[in-house]
Amino acid sequence: KKDKELKQTNKPHVNFKDVAGLDEVKEELVEVIDFIKSPEKYKKMGAKIPKGILFYGPPGTGKTLLAQALAGETNSTFFPASGSEFVEKYVGVGAKRVRTLFEKAKKNSPSVIFIDEVDAIGAKRTTESNNEKDQTLNQLLIEMDGFHSDQNVVVIGATNRLDLLDEALLRPGRFDRHMHIGNPDLKARQEIFGVHIRNKPVDKSVDIKKLAQKTHGMSGAHLSNIANEAAILAVRNNKKNIGIEEFDAAIEKVIGGVEKKNPHIV
Ligand code: ATP
C-alpha cells in the first residue's frame, strides 16, 4: 500500500521550464524521463534503466532544482535527503536511515531520491576505520545494488567535489552517470533572470542582457537572489515596477556578499 499522505506532499510542482540553461544536462535527462514514464519499453528491449545519477559542480547551480524538476516531469514522489543527515555518532543509525529512505521510495514509486552532499556519506574510505561511516556507505551500496530498475526508483546524488567520492559508489549499477552542473554562461544567466522575473512587474527599460553581463561568475542562486532583492527594493521605494536602479542596487548587494565569502570569485 502506498503512503497516501506522502504522495501528496512530496510531489514537486517544478518542471524543466523552471530550470534555465543547462541544455545538455536537460537533454540527457529527457532520456531518463522516458525511462521512468515507460519502463516496459526498455524492459522489452532488454535495456537497463539507470539507477543512479550524480550531479556535480559548484553550489547554487540548480542541482536540487533539476532533481525536483525530474520528479515533477515524471510525476514521481520526491525524497530529498542530505548526506550529512546520515552521519551519526552511534553505529548503525545512519545505515538504518538509508534503509528506511529506500523502503519508502520503493513503496511510493515512481520515486526520485535526492541525496545532497553525498560526499558526506560517500567520501573515499581511509585506512583509519570509522565504523559508523563505513556502515552507512555500505548500506547505500547495498540499497543501490538491491533494487531492480523495474522498481522505478532513480537516485540522484549531488556533490561539489566529485574527486572526493569513493570509487565503489561510481561503479556501474550505482552512480554511473555523471553530469556536470556548472556556473551559467552569459546566455544562461539571461535565461535564469528570465525565469526569476517571470512573475514580477519589471519596467520595460530593464535590459536583461545587460544584467547578465554585470553578473559574470555568479550562480543561479545568486541571480535568483538578485531578482528577489530588486523586488523588495521596489516595494521599499514605492515603485509600481522594478526598475534598473533596483536591479543595480541588488547586484551590488549580492556582489558584496559574494566578495565577503569568496574574494577571488568576482
Ligand atoms: P547546493 O550545491 O548549494 O545544494 P544546488 O546546486 O542544489 O546548490 P539549487 O538549490 O538547485 O542549487 O539552487 C538554488 C536556487 O537558485 C534555486 O531554487 C533557484 O531559485 C535558483 N537557481 C539555480 N540554478 C538555476 C537555474 N539553472 N535556473 C533557474 N533557477 C536556478
mmCIF file of all heavy atoms in Angstrom, residues 40-90:
data_model
loop_
_atom_site.group_PDB
_atom_site.id
_atom_site.type_symbol
_atom_site.label_atom_id
_atom_site.label_comp_id
_atom_site.label_asym_id
_atom_site.label_seq_id
_atom_site.Cartn_x
_atom_site.Cartn_y
_atom_site.Cartn_z
ATOM 1 N N GLU A 40 8.386 -0.274 -19.453
ATOM 2 C CA GLU A 40 8.147 -1.531 -20.209
ATOM 3 C C GLU A 40 8.901 -1.544 -21.531
ATOM 4 O O GLU A 40 9.476 -2.565 -21.929
ATOM 5 C CB GLU A 40 6.665 -1.766 -20.548
ATOM 6 C CG GLU A 40 5.620 -1.144 -19.681
ATOM 7 C CD GLU A 40 5.565 0.367 -19.812
ATOM 8 O OE1 GLU A 40 5.456 0.877 -20.938
ATOM 9 O OE2 GLU A 40 5.635 1.056 -18.774
ATOM 10 N N LYS A 41 8.884 -0.376 -22.180
ATOM 11 C CA LYS A 41 9.515 -0.246 -23.488
ATOM 12 C C LYS A 41 10.982 -0.695 -23.417
ATOM 13 O O LYS A 41 11.467 -1.415 -24.273
ATOM 14 C CB LYS A 41 9.446 1.247 -23.856
ATOM 15 C CG LYS A 41 9.403 1.562 -25.289
ATOM 16 C CD LYS A 41 8.948 2.995 -25.525
ATOM 17 C CE LYS A 41 9.975 4.049 -25.173
ATOM 18 N NZ LYS A 41 9.509 5.425 -25.368
ATOM 19 N N TYR A 42 11.648 -0.244 -22.361
ATOM 20 C CA TYR A 42 13.074 -0.549 -22.216
ATOM 21 C C TYR A 42 13.285 -1.981 -21.767
ATOM 22 O O TYR A 42 14.220 -2.653 -22.168
ATOM 23 C CB TYR A 42 13.715 0.448 -21.246
ATOM 24 C CG TYR A 42 13.721 1.843 -21.823
ATOM 25 C CD1 TYR A 42 12.639 2.695 -21.623
ATOM 26 C CD2 TYR A 42 14.769 2.279 -22.621
ATOM 27 C CE1 TYR A 42 12.611 3.962 -22.185
ATOM 28 C CE2 TYR A 42 14.759 3.545 -23.188
ATOM 29 C CZ TYR A 42 13.679 4.380 -22.964
ATOM 30 O OH TYR A 42 13.651 5.621 -23.535
ATOM 31 N N LYS A 43 12.391 -2.430 -20.908
ATOM 32 C CA LYS A 43 12.485 -3.789 -20.384
ATOM 33 C C LYS A 43 12.370 -4.794 -21.535
ATOM 34 O O LYS A 43 13.141 -5.735 -21.640
ATOM 35 C CB LYS A 43 11.346 -4.008 -19.378
ATOM 36 C CG LYS A 43 11.752 -4.888 -18.220
ATOM 37 C CD LYS A 43 10.638 -4.916 -17.207
ATOM 38 C CE LYS A 43 10.569 -6.282 -16.555
ATOM 39 N NZ LYS A 43 9.316 -6.428 -15.794
ATOM 40 N N LYS A 44 11.409 -4.549 -22.404
ATOM 41 C CA LYS A 44 11.186 -5.430 -23.552
ATOM 42 C C LYS A 44 12.443 -5.546 -24.394
ATOM 43 O O LYS A 44 12.743 -6.578 -24.974
ATOM 44 C CB LYS A 44 10.057 -4.865 -24.418
ATOM 45 C CG LYS A 44 8.768 -5.628 -24.253
ATOM 46 C CD LYS A 44 7.814 -5.247 -25.376
ATOM 47 C CE LYS A 44 6.406 -5.114 -24.836
ATOM 48 N NZ LYS A 44 5.646 -4.079 -25.555
ATOM 49 N N MET A 45 13.146 -4.440 -24.492
ATOM 50 C CA MET A 45 14.352 -4.392 -25.325
ATOM 51 C C MET A 45 15.571 -4.925 -24.572
ATOM 52 O O MET A 45 16.657 -5.002 -25.114
ATOM 53 C CB MET A 45 14.568 -2.935 -25.755
ATOM 54 C CG MET A 45 15.277 -2.740 -27.072
ATOM 55 S SD MET A 45 14.418 -3.502 -28.447
ATOM 56 C CE MET A 45 13.173 -2.275 -28.814
ATOM 57 N N GLY A 46 15.349 -5.283 -23.318
ATOM 58 C CA GLY A 46 16.454 -5.804 -22.517
ATOM 59 C C GLY A 46 17.420 -4.726 -22.062
ATOM 60 O O GLY A 46 18.564 -5.002 -21.711
ATOM 61 N N ALA A 47 16.942 -3.457 -22.070
ATOM 62 C CA ALA A 47 17.825 -2.359 -21.655
ATOM 63 C C ALA A 47 17.649 -2.086 -20.161
ATOM 64 O O ALA A 47 16.534 -2.158 -19.645
ATOM 65 C CB ALA A 47 17.494 -1.105 -22.448
ATOM 66 N N LYS A 48 18.755 -1.797 -19.517
ATOM 67 C CA LYS A 48 18.672 -1.486 -18.081
ATOM 68 C C LYS A 48 18.470 0.008 -17.884
ATOM 69 O O LYS A 48 19.159 0.817 -18.486
ATOM 70 C CB LYS A 48 19.966 -1.905 -17.380
ATOM 71 C CG LYS A 48 20.023 -3.383 -17.110
ATOM 72 C CD LYS A 48 21.010 -3.653 -15.960
ATOM 73 C CE LYS A 48 21.232 -5.138 -15.787
ATOM 74 N NZ LYS A 48 22.389 -5.641 -16.546
ATOM 75 N N ILE A 49 17.537 0.328 -17.013
ATOM 76 C CA ILE A 49 17.271 1.725 -16.696
ATOM 77 C C ILE A 49 18.345 2.203 -15.717
ATOM 78 O O ILE A 49 18.699 1.479 -14.801
ATOM 79 C CB ILE A 49 15.863 1.833 -16.068
ATOM 80 C CG1 ILE A 49 14.834 1.423 -17.116
ATOM 81 C CG2 ILE A 49 15.605 3.222 -15.521
ATOM 82 C CD1 ILE A 49 13.422 1.393 -16.631
ATOM 83 N N PRO A 50 18.876 3.410 -15.917
ATOM 84 C CA PRO A 50 19.898 3.867 -14.970
ATOM 85 C C PRO A 50 19.302 4.052 -13.573
ATOM 86 O O PRO A 50 18.193 4.543 -13.439
ATOM 87 C CB PRO A 50 20.328 5.219 -15.542
ATOM 88 C CG PRO A 50 19.212 5.659 -16.404
ATOM 89 C CD PRO A 50 18.547 4.424 -16.918
ATOM 90 N N LYS A 51 20.038 3.637 -12.573
ATOM 91 C CA LYS A 51 19.520 3.777 -11.213
ATOM 92 C C LYS A 51 20.058 5.019 -10.541
ATOM 93 O O LYS A 51 19.380 5.652 -9.760
ATOM 94 C CB LYS A 51 19.986 2.596 -10.361
ATOM 95 C CG LYS A 51 19.494 1.258 -10.750
ATOM 96 C CD LYS A 51 20.095 0.291 -9.726
ATOM 97 C CE LYS A 51 19.892 -1.135 -10.087
ATOM 98 N NZ LYS A 51 20.640 -1.987 -9.126
ATOM 99 N N GLY A 52 21.313 5.328 -10.836
ATOM 100 C CA GLY A 52 21.955 6.413 -10.099
ATOM 101 C C GLY A 52 22.581 7.455 -11.006
ATOM 102 O O GLY A 52 23.260 7.135 -11.972
ATOM 103 N N ILE A 53 22.299 8.711 -10.707
ATOM 104 C CA ILE A 53 22.878 9.821 -11.468
ATOM 105 C C ILE A 53 23.585 10.730 -10.481
ATOM 106 O O ILE A 53 23.070 10.982 -9.386
ATOM 107 C CB ILE A 53 21.767 10.621 -12.178
ATOM 108 C CG1 ILE A 53 20.973 9.719 -13.113
ATOM 109 C CG2 ILE A 53 22.350 11.811 -12.933
ATOM 110 C CD1 ILE A 53 19.728 10.370 -13.675
ATOM 111 N N LEU A 54 24.752 11.196 -10.865
ATOM 112 C CA LEU A 54 25.476 12.095 -9.985
ATOM 113 C C LEU A 54 25.562 13.479 -10.622
ATOM 114 O O LEU A 54 26.033 13.622 -11.746
ATOM 115 C CB LEU A 54 26.873 11.535 -9.762
ATOM 116 C CG LEU A 54 27.630 12.165 -8.632
ATOM 117 C CD1 LEU A 54 27.018 11.752 -7.301
ATOM 118 C CD2 LEU A 54 29.080 11.739 -8.687
ATOM 119 N N PHE A 55 25.070 14.487 -9.908
ATOM 120 C CA PHE A 55 25.230 15.879 -10.337
ATOM 121 C C PHE A 55 26.425 16.445 -9.597
ATOM 122 O O PHE A 55 26.450 16.397 -8.361
ATOM 123 C CB PHE A 55 24.012 16.717 -9.944
ATOM 124 C CG PHE A 55 22.742 16.403 -10.699
ATOM 125 C CD1 PHE A 55 21.516 16.837 -10.201
ATOM 126 C CD2 PHE A 55 22.756 15.714 -11.900
ATOM 127 C CE1 PHE A 55 20.331 16.579 -10.886
ATOM 128 C CE2 PHE A 55 21.574 15.457 -12.597
ATOM 129 C CZ PHE A 55 20.362 15.889 -12.081
ATOM 130 N N TYR A 56 27.389 16.969 -10.308
ATOM 131 C CA TYR A 56 28.498 17.582 -9.585
ATOM 132 C C TYR A 56 28.792 18.977 -10.123
ATOM 133 O O TYR A 56 28.585 19.255 -11.305
ATOM 134 C CB TYR A 56 29.746 16.696 -9.616
ATOM 135 C CG TYR A 56 30.366 16.521 -10.987
ATOM 136 C CD1 TYR A 56 31.457 17.299 -11.384
ATOM 137 C CD2 TYR A 56 29.855 15.598 -11.888
ATOM 138 C CE1 TYR A 56 32.022 17.147 -12.641
ATOM 139 C CE2 TYR A 56 30.407 15.444 -13.146
ATOM 140 C CZ TYR A 56 31.488 16.222 -13.517
ATOM 141 O OH TYR A 56 32.033 16.083 -14.766
ATOM 142 N N GLY A 57 29.250 19.841 -9.248
ATOM 143 C CA GLY A 57 29.525 21.219 -9.639
ATOM 144 C C GLY A 57 29.384 22.151 -8.454
ATOM 145 O O GLY A 57 29.000 21.718 -7.368
ATOM 146 N N PRO A 58 29.676 23.433 -8.688
ATOM 147 C CA PRO A 58 29.676 24.401 -7.584
ATOM 148 C C PRO A 58 28.293 24.594 -6.960
ATOM 149 O O PRO A 58 27.286 24.225 -7.566
ATOM 150 C CB PRO A 58 30.157 25.699 -8.253
ATOM 151 C CG PRO A 58 30.014 25.494 -9.716
ATOM 152 C CD PRO A 58 30.060 24.029 -9.972
ATOM 153 N N PRO A 59 28.231 25.180 -5.774
ATOM 154 C CA PRO A 59 26.951 25.372 -5.092
ATOM 155 C C PRO A 59 26.038 26.352 -5.822
ATOM 156 O O PRO A 59 26.502 27.244 -6.545
ATOM 157 C CB PRO A 59 27.344 25.941 -3.715
ATOM 158 C CG PRO A 59 28.780 26.266 -3.763
ATOM 159 C CD PRO A 59 29.376 25.582 -4.945
ATOM 160 N N GLY A 60 24.737 26.153 -5.640
ATOM 161 C CA GLY A 60 23.751 27.112 -6.143
ATOM 162 C C GLY A 60 23.531 27.105 -7.639
ATOM 163 O O GLY A 60 23.012 28.063 -8.208
ATOM 164 N N THR A 61 23.915 26.014 -8.306
ATOM 165 C CA THR A 61 23.816 25.996 -9.765
ATOM 166 C C THR A 61 22.578 25.254 -10.273
ATOM 167 O O THR A 61 22.427 25.078 -11.479
ATOM 168 C CB THR A 61 25.076 25.360 -10.374
ATOM 169 O OG1 THR A 61 25.399 24.187 -9.620
ATOM 170 C CG2 THR A 61 26.238 26.329 -10.311
ATOM 171 N N GLY A 62 21.739 24.780 -9.361
ATOM 172 C CA GLY A 62 20.477 24.178 -9.800
ATOM 173 C C GLY A 62 20.410 22.666 -9.689
ATOM 174 O O GLY A 62 19.534 22.041 -10.300
ATOM 175 N N LYS A 63 21.289 22.071 -8.890
ATOM 176 C CA LYS A 63 21.267 20.609 -8.771
ATOM 177 C C LYS A 63 19.979 20.119 -8.100
ATOM 178 O O LYS A 63 19.317 19.210 -8.595
ATOM 179 C CB LYS A 63 22.505 20.124 -7.991
ATOM 180 C CG LYS A 63 23.807 20.427 -8.747
ATOM 181 C CD LYS A 63 25.029 19.892 -8.050
ATOM 182 C CE LYS A 63 25.488 20.709 -6.865
ATOM 183 N NZ LYS A 63 25.756 22.145 -7.142
ATOM 184 N N THR A 64 19.630 20.784 -7.006
ATOM 185 C CA THR A 64 18.397 20.407 -6.311
ATOM 186 C C THR A 64 17.184 20.685 -7.192
ATOM 187 O O THR A 64 16.275 19.857 -7.316
ATOM 188 C CB THR A 64 18.270 21.204 -4.997
ATOM 189 O OG1 THR A 64 19.495 21.077 -4.276
ATOM 190 C CG2 THR A 64 17.125 20.706 -4.145
ATOM 191 N N LEU A 65 17.216 21.848 -7.824
ATOM 192 C CA LEU A 65 16.118 22.256 -8.698
ATOM 193 C C LEU A 65 15.901 21.242 -9.831
ATOM 194 O O LEU A 65 14.776 20.861 -10.144
ATOM 195 C CB LEU A 65 16.466 23.629 -9.280
ATOM 196 C CG LEU A 65 15.387 24.395 -9.997
ATOM 197 C CD1 LEU A 65 14.308 24.832 -9.012
ATOM 198 C CD2 LEU A 65 15.968 25.620 -10.699
ATOM 199 N N LEU A 66 16.999 20.776 -10.435
ATOM 200 C CA LEU A 66 16.910 19.799 -11.530
ATOM 201 C C LEU A 66 16.317 18.483 -11.044
ATOM 202 O O LEU A 66 15.510 17.866 -11.744
ATOM 203 C CB LEU A 66 18.304 19.494 -12.059
ATOM 204 C CG LEU A 66 18.786 20.160 -13.327
ATOM 205 C CD1 LEU A 66 20.174 19.634 -13.648
ATOM 206 C CD2 LEU A 66 17.854 19.914 -14.514
ATOM 207 N N ALA A 67 16.743 18.054 -9.853
ATOM 208 C CA ALA A 67 16.224 16.793 -9.304
ATOM 209 C C ALA A 67 14.724 16.928 -9.057
ATOM 210 O O ALA A 67 13.936 16.025 -9.373
ATOM 211 C CB ALA A 67 16.960 16.432 -8.016
ATOM 212 N N GLN A 68 14.323 18.098 -8.537
ATOM 213 C CA GLN A 68 12.885 18.332 -8.326
ATOM 214 C C GLN A 68 12.147 18.334 -9.655
ATOM 215 O O GLN A 68 11.048 17.792 -9.765
ATOM 216 C CB GLN A 68 12.667 19.695 -7.658
ATOM 217 C CG GLN A 68 13.034 19.712 -6.200
ATOM 218 C CD GLN A 68 12.953 21.120 -5.616
ATOM 219 O OE1 GLN A 68 13.169 22.106 -6.320
ATOM 220 N NE2 GLN A 68 12.660 21.218 -4.346
ATOM 221 N N ALA A 69 12.766 18.935 -10.666
ATOM 222 C CA ALA A 69 12.117 19.011 -11.974
ATOM 223 C C ALA A 69 11.969 17.613 -12.584
ATOM 224 O O ALA A 69 10.962 17.315 -13.223
ATOM 225 C CB ALA A 69 12.907 19.921 -12.911
ATOM 226 N N LEU A 70 12.959 16.767 -12.347
ATOM 227 C CA LEU A 70 12.869 15.396 -12.862
ATOM 228 C C LEU A 70 11.676 14.693 -12.226
ATOM 229 O O LEU A 70 10.908 13.999 -12.901
ATOM 230 C CB LEU A 70 14.172 14.642 -12.561
ATOM 231 C CG LEU A 70 14.241 13.221 -13.095
ATOM 232 C CD1 LEU A 70 14.289 13.221 -14.615
ATOM 233 C CD2 LEU A 70 15.452 12.488 -12.541
ATOM 234 N N ALA A 71 11.499 14.900 -10.923
ATOM 235 C CA ALA A 71 10.347 14.320 -10.234
ATOM 236 C C ALA A 71 9.056 14.952 -10.755
ATOM 237 O O ALA A 71 8.080 14.249 -11.030
ATOM 238 C CB ALA A 71 10.475 14.507 -8.727
ATOM 239 N N GLY A 72 9.073 16.278 -10.932
ATOM 240 C CA GLY A 72 7.884 16.982 -11.412
ATOM 241 C C GLY A 72 7.461 16.530 -12.799
ATOM 242 O O GLY A 72 6.287 16.287 -13.060
ATOM 243 N N GLU A 73 8.437 16.361 -13.678
ATOM 244 C CA GLU A 73 8.143 15.963 -15.060
ATOM 245 C C GLU A 73 7.586 14.542 -15.149
ATOM 246 O O GLU A 73 6.872 14.215 -16.083
ATOM 247 C CB GLU A 73 9.420 16.038 -15.917
ATOM 248 C CG GLU A 73 9.939 17.440 -16.164
ATOM 249 C CD GLU A 73 9.178 18.173 -17.268
ATOM 250 O OE1 GLU A 73 8.432 17.531 -18.022
ATOM 251 O OE2 GLU A 73 9.332 19.418 -17.345
ATOM 252 N N THR A 74 7.972 13.701 -14.198
ATOM 253 C CA THR A 74 7.559 12.296 -14.280
ATOM 254 C C THR A 74 6.473 11.961 -13.264
ATOM 255 O O THR A 74 6.095 10.806 -13.110
ATOM 256 C CB THR A 74 8.766 11.366 -14.008
ATOM 257 O OG1 THR A 74 9.377 11.765 -12.773
ATOM 258 C CG2 THR A 74 9.795 11.463 -15.118
ATOM 259 N N ASN A 75 6.006 12.998 -12.561
ATOM 260 C CA ASN A 75 5.016 12.807 -11.514
ATOM 261 C C ASN A 75 5.481 11.778 -10.476
ATOM 262 O O ASN A 75 4.716 10.961 -9.980
ATOM 263 C CB ASN A 75 3.681 12.390 -12.139
ATOM 264 C CG ASN A 75 2.523 12.682 -11.224
ATOM 265 O OD1 ASN A 75 2.629 13.539 -10.338
ATOM 266 N ND2 ASN A 75 1.431 11.962 -11.388
ATOM 267 N N SER A 76 6.770 11.831 -10.176
ATOM 268 C CA SER A 76 7.341 10.915 -9.192
ATOM 269 C C SER A 76 7.277 11.527 -7.800
ATOM 270 O O SER A 76 7.212 12.737 -7.646
ATOM 271 C CB SER A 76 8.822 10.646 -9.507
ATOM 272 O OG SER A 76 8.958 9.979 -10.737
ATOM 273 N N THR A 77 7.309 10.671 -6.789
ATOM 274 C CA THR A 77 7.398 11.155 -5.414
ATOM 275 C C THR A 77 8.856 11.532 -5.165
ATOM 276 O O THR A 77 9.764 10.821 -5.585
ATOM 277 C CB THR A 77 6.966 10.057 -4.419
ATOM 278 O OG1 THR A 77 5.900 9.318 -4.991
ATOM 279 C CG2 THR A 77 6.526 10.655 -3.102
ATOM 280 N N PHE A 78 9.052 12.663 -4.502
ATOM 281 C CA PHE A 78 10.406 13.198 -4.320
ATOM 282 C C PHE A 78 10.864 12.957 -2.888
ATOM 283 O O PHE A 78 10.173 13.303 -1.937
ATOM 284 C CB PHE A 78 10.377 14.702 -4.632
ATOM 285 C CG PHE A 78 11.737 15.345 -4.689
ATOM 286 C CD1 PHE A 78 12.684 14.914 -5.597
ATOM 287 C CD2 PHE A 78 12.053 16.397 -3.836
ATOM 288 C CE1 PHE A 78 13.943 15.519 -5.665
ATOM 289 C CE2 PHE A 78 13.302 17.013 -3.897
ATOM 290 C CZ PHE A 78 14.244 16.569 -4.814
ATOM 291 N N PHE A 79 12.019 12.343 -2.752
ATOM 292 C CA PHE A 79 12.581 12.083 -1.429
ATOM 293 C C PHE A 79 13.912 12.803 -1.266
ATOM 294 O O PHE A 79 14.951 12.275 -1.634
ATOM 295 C CB PHE A 79 12.777 10.574 -1.215
ATOM 296 C CG PHE A 79 11.484 9.824 -1.124
ATOM 297 C CD1 PHE A 79 10.876 9.333 -2.272
ATOM 298 C CD2 PHE A 79 10.854 9.639 0.094
ATOM 299 C CE1 PHE A 79 9.668 8.663 -2.203
ATOM 300 C CE2 PHE A 79 9.641 8.979 0.181
ATOM 301 C CZ PHE A 79 9.052 8.481 -0.976
ATOM 302 N N PRO A 80 13.877 14.035 -0.741
ATOM 303 C CA PRO A 80 15.132 14.764 -0.574
ATOM 304 C C PRO A 80 15.828 14.360 0.719
ATOM 305 O O PRO A 80 15.176 14.107 1.736
ATOM 306 C CB PRO A 80 14.670 16.223 -0.495
ATOM 307 C CG PRO A 80 13.274 16.172 0.011
ATOM 308 C CD PRO A 80 12.703 14.818 -0.322
ATOM 309 N N ALA A 81 17.135 14.273 0.674
ATOM 310 C CA ALA A 81 17.907 13.968 1.876
ATOM 311 C C ALA A 81 19.256 14.639 1.712
ATOM 312 O O ALA A 81 19.647 15.004 0.606
ATOM 313 C CB ALA A 81 18.074 12.460 2.011
ATOM 314 N N SER A 82 19.944 14.794 2.825
ATOM 315 C CA SER A 82 21.280 15.356 2.733
ATOM 316 C C SER A 82 22.241 14.353 3.359
ATOM 317 O O SER A 82 21.929 13.767 4.400
ATOM 318 C CB SER A 82 21.326 16.682 3.476
ATOM 319 O OG SER A 82 22.676 17.062 3.591
ATOM 320 N N GLY A 83 23.382 14.150 2.706
ATOM 321 C CA GLY A 83 24.348 13.183 3.198
ATOM 322 C C GLY A 83 24.670 13.392 4.669
ATOM 323 O O GLY A 83 24.817 12.421 5.426
ATOM 324 N N SER A 84 24.708 14.661 5.085
ATOM 325 C CA SER A 84 25.095 14.929 6.470
ATOM 326 C C SER A 84 24.066 14.429 7.489
ATOM 327 O O SER A 84 24.401 14.177 8.642
ATOM 328 C CB SER A 84 25.373 16.419 6.664
ATOM 329 O OG SER A 84 24.287 17.155 6.190
ATOM 330 N N GLU A 85 22.806 14.259 7.049
ATOM 331 C CA GLU A 85 21.788 13.721 7.966
ATOM 332 C C GLU A 85 22.079 12.288 8.384
ATOM 333 O O GLU A 85 21.529 11.787 9.356
ATOM 334 C CB GLU A 85 20.427 13.617 7.257
ATOM 335 C CG GLU A 85 19.697 14.879 7.006
ATOM 336 C CD GLU A 85 18.576 14.630 5.998
ATOM 337 O OE1 GLU A 85 17.987 13.534 5.949
ATOM 338 O OE2 GLU A 85 18.318 15.576 5.223
ATOM 339 N N PHE A 86 22.890 11.612 7.595
ATOM 340 C CA PHE A 86 23.103 10.187 7.862
ATOM 341 C C PHE A 86 24.321 9.943 8.739
ATOM 342 O O PHE A 86 24.581 8.832 9.156
ATOM 343 C CB PHE A 86 23.284 9.418 6.548
ATOM 344 C CG PHE A 86 22.080 9.476 5.664
ATOM 345 C CD1 PHE A 86 22.028 10.343 4.588
ATOM 346 C CD2 PHE A 86 20.987 8.669 5.926
ATOM 347 C CE1 PHE A 86 20.916 10.409 3.770
ATOM 348 C CE2 PHE A 86 19.866 8.721 5.126
ATOM 349 C CZ PHE A 86 19.830 9.600 4.039
ATOM 350 N N VAL A 87 25.083 11.028 8.942
ATOM 351 C CA VAL A 87 26.315 10.840 9.695
ATOM 352 C C VAL A 87 26.027 11.015 11.177
ATOM 353 O O VAL A 87 25.703 12.103 11.635
ATOM 354 C CB VAL A 87 27.382 11.845 9.219
ATOM 355 C CG1 VAL A 87 28.689 11.616 9.944
ATOM 356 C CG2 VAL A 87 27.585 11.718 7.719
ATOM 357 N N GLU A 88 26.093 9.925 11.898
ATOM 358 C CA GLU A 88 25.685 9.919 13.291
ATOM 359 C C GLU A 88 26.796 9.380 14.166
ATOM 360 O O GLU A 88 27.754 8.784 13.688
ATOM 361 C CB GLU A 88 24.439 9.030 13.448
ATOM 362 C CG GLU A 88 23.172 9.715 12.954
ATOM 363 C CD GLU A 88 22.778 10.895 13.829
ATOM 364 O OE1 GLU A 88 23.129 10.901 15.017
ATOM 365 O OE2 GLU A 88 22.131 11.822 13.294
ATOM 366 N N LYS A 89 26.634 9.600 15.445
ATOM 367 C CA LYS A 89 27.645 9.129 16.386
ATOM 368 C C LYS A 89 27.542 7.630 16.600
ATOM 369 O O LYS A 89 28.526 6.944 16.768
ATOM 370 C CB LYS A 89 27.427 9.849 17.723
ATOM 371 C CG LYS A 89 28.610 10.662 18.084
ATOM 372 C CD LYS A 89 28.709 11.363 19.392
ATOM 373 C CE LYS A 89 27.687 11.226 20.446
ATOM 374 N NZ LYS A 89 27.219 12.489 21.004
ATOM 375 N N TYR A 90 26.316 7.140 16.621
ATOM 376 C CA TYR A 90 26.131 5.745 17.015
ATOM 377 C C TYR A 90 26.113 4.817 15.822
ATOM 378 O O TYR A 90 25.410 5.077 14.840
ATOM 379 C CB TYR A 90 24.847 5.612 17.836
ATOM 380 C CG TYR A 90 24.905 6.475 19.054
ATOM 381 C CD1 TYR A 90 24.192 7.666 19.128
ATOM 382 C CD2 TYR A 90 25.744 6.137 20.121
ATOM 383 C CE1 TYR A 90 24.279 8.487 20.240
ATOM 384 C CE2 TYR A 90 25.848 6.959 21.223
ATOM 385 C CZ TYR A 90 25.115 8.127 21.283
ATOM 386 O OH TYR A 90 25.225 8.949 22.372
#
